[in-house]
């Protein structure tokens, strides 16, 4: 792994807390320009202030990724302020304790965890592929193995369970990864992969979850060998962002020991293609992308 990342510009969502914050600081220490996206302005300001003496730069962009109009505004800002994006890292995540909807009327866990990466990738795809080694990386989770994508009730309107909603969104992340890779032309330099960071109980992911869920997470985190530290998770994420070996892989789910097979539903062609079309409809774009000119 190269220590000098001064030529890299990395857009990292979910970088103001948890292992995303650790990753942002580590990357900036090595000279990268890290554009951190988060909802909490005070956390973003604190992060940038504490990072002023690093070799690289951390810039904060406030955005609520539940809102499609905000995502589009963010993309416009990014294209204006950065000549190119080398890595687009979708690390923001949400686990809502009760069913509620985004400003666009979409179940919020699906909106933040799946549709935000889908739309932001679409909006920035042309800007991304100008880079010499462009990468899209999505934080998924092994919890996807307990989920199924009920395409007749993708937003869990009939029966809502917070853990099911989260697991389904992570399954959608992997299906999106595989489908985007399948749609890339053979001569594309863009790679797309997703990663299981481990079980990281010290993050803010479950702060909206029920008391029972939060207690279970805390208890599980105390079991030896179960929990992953923020530093370990950050290092796993960073590997996909900048390690040379992941510049030649695409369409992969990266687990504890490297590429591994996800749940079969994530790679099912009919399922992932239908999810792609439904996602495009939910965010109001054509499903026929990427093309020679996405936007």
């Amino acid at each position: 792994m190269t220590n000098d990342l001064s030529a890299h510009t990395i857009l990292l969502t979910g970088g103001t807390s948890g292992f995303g914050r650790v990753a942002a600081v580590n990357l900036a220490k090595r000279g990268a320009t890290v554009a951190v996206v988060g909802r909490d302005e005070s956390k973003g300001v604190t992060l940038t202030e504490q990072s002023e003496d690093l070799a690289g730069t951390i810039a904060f962009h406030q955005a609520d990724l539940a809102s499609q109009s905000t995502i589009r505004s963010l993309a416009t800002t990014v294209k204006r302020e950065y000549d190119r994006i080398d890595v687009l890292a979708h690390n923001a995540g949400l686990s809502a304790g009760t069913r509620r909807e985004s400003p666009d009327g979409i179940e919020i866990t699906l909106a933040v965890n799946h549709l935000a990466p889908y739309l932001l990738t679409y909006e920035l795809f042309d800007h991304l592929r100008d880079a010499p080694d462009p990468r899209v990386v999505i934080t998924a989770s092994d919890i996807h193995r307990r989920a199924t994508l009920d395409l007749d009730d993708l937003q869990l309107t009939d029966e809502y369970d917070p853990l099911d909603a989260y697991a389904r969104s992570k399954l959608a992340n992997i299906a999106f990864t595989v489908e985007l890779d399948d749609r890339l032309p053979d001569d594309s330099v863009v790679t797309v992969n997703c990663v299981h960071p481990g079980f990281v109980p010290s993050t803010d992911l479950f702060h909206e979850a029920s008391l029972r869920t939060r207690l279970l997470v805390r208890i599980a985190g105390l079991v030896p060998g179960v929990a992953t530290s923020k530093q370990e998770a950050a290092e796993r994420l960073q590997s996909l962002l900048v390690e040379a070996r992941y510049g030649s892989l695409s369409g992969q789910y990266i687990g504890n020991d490297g590429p591994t097979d996800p749940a079969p539903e994530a790679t099912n062609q009919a399922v992932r293609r239908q999810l792609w079309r439904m996602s495009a409809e939910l965010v109001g774009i054509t499903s026929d992308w990427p093309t020679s000119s996405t936007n």
Side-chain angles (χ1 to χ4, degrees):
M1 183 189 297
T2 177
N3 286 322
D4 182 11
L5 299 178
S6 57
H8 283 64
T9 299
I10 300 169
L11 181 67
L12 174 64
T13 71
T16 60
S17 63
F19 66 87
R21 185 186 184 100
V22 176
V25 172
N26 288 347
L27 293 164
K29 284 180 178 178
R30 295 164 57 191
T33 296
V34 188
V36 169
V37 178
R39 188 173 58 176
D40 190 319
E41 184 176 14
S42 63
K43 289 182 179 180
V45 170
T46 300
L47 174 62
T48 56
E49 289 177 347
Q50 292 176 346
S51 305
E52 290 178 351
D53 295 329
L54 300 181
T57 302
I58 295 180
F60 174 66
H61 299 271
Q62 185 180 22
D64 180 0
L65 296 176
S67 166
Q68 294 174 20
S69 64
T70 301
I71 292 170
R72 290 186 168 94
S73 295
L74 170 65
T76 298
T77 298
V78 168
K79 286 183 281 190
R80 182 179 66 245
E81 296 189 7
Y82 303 94
D83 292 336
R84 74 177 195 225
I85 296 294
D86 295 274
V87 181
L88 177 54
H90 300 290
N91 181 62
L94 171 73
S95 178
T98 58
R99 190 186 188 282
R100 67 179 194 275
E101 295 184 346
S102 72
D104 304 291
I106 297 168
E107 191 274 313
I108 199 161
T109 303
L110 182 73
V112 172
N113 294 1
H114 168 60
L115 292 179
Y118 182 91
L119 179 58
L120 190 56
T121 303
Y122 168 83
E123 292 289 339
L124 292 177
F125 195 79
D126 284 348
H127 206 56
L128 175 75
R129 61 182 168 191
D130 289 336
D133 180 22
R135 306 183 187 192
V136 178
V137 176
I138 305 170
T139 299
S141 172
D142 234 23
I143 202 173
H144 82 275
R145 299 185 189 280
R146 64 162 285 164
T148 184
L149 283 172
D150 181 357
L151 297 177
D152 293 326
D153 187 25
L154 188 60
Q155 300 188 51
L156 290 167
T157 56
D158 290 339
E159 187 174 346
Y160 184 81
D161 177 84
L163 195 57
D164 285 348
Y166 180 72
R168 180 178 293 191
S169 72
K170 297 292 101 178
L171 178 58
N173 286 157
I174 304 171
F176 168 60
T177 298
V178 176
E179 181 63 17
L180 176 56
D181 175 66
D182 192 49
R183 287 169 174 261
L184 293 173
D186 292 340
D187 60 351
S188 175
V189 294
V190 178
T191 60
V192 53
N193 292 295
C194 53
V195 59
H196 167 55
F199 171 56
V200 192
S202 57
T203 67
D204 291 336
L205 176 64
F206 296 102
H207 74 278
E208 292 189 22
S210 66
L211 176 60
R212 177 178 179 274
T213 298
R214 283 182 280 131
L215 286 173
L216 289 173
V217 168
R218 182 172 296 181
I219 292 169
L222 297 175
V223 178
V226 172
T228 302
S229 71
K230 287 190 288 187
Q231 184 62 42
E232 290 173 317
E235 290 173 358
R236 193 174 296 177
L237 174 61
Q238 289 162 222
S239 294
L240 269 76
L241 304 187
V242 297
E243 270 193 16
R245 62 179 171 138
Y246 289 117
S248 59
L249 289 176
S250 192
Q252 300 296 309
Y253 175 59
I254 311 301
N256 295 341
D257 301 310
T260 188
D261 291 333
E265 191 171 0
T267 59
N268 181 290
Q269 186 180 80
V271 170
R272 55 185 167 84
R273 287 186 174 178
Q274 179 62 13
L275 175 66
W276 184 279
R277 290 190 291 267
M278 293 176 69
S279 300
E281 183 177 349
L282 286 169
V283 300
I285 63 173
T286 176
S287 63
D288 187 20
W289 75 277
T291 60
S292 57
S293 178
T294 298
N295 290 307

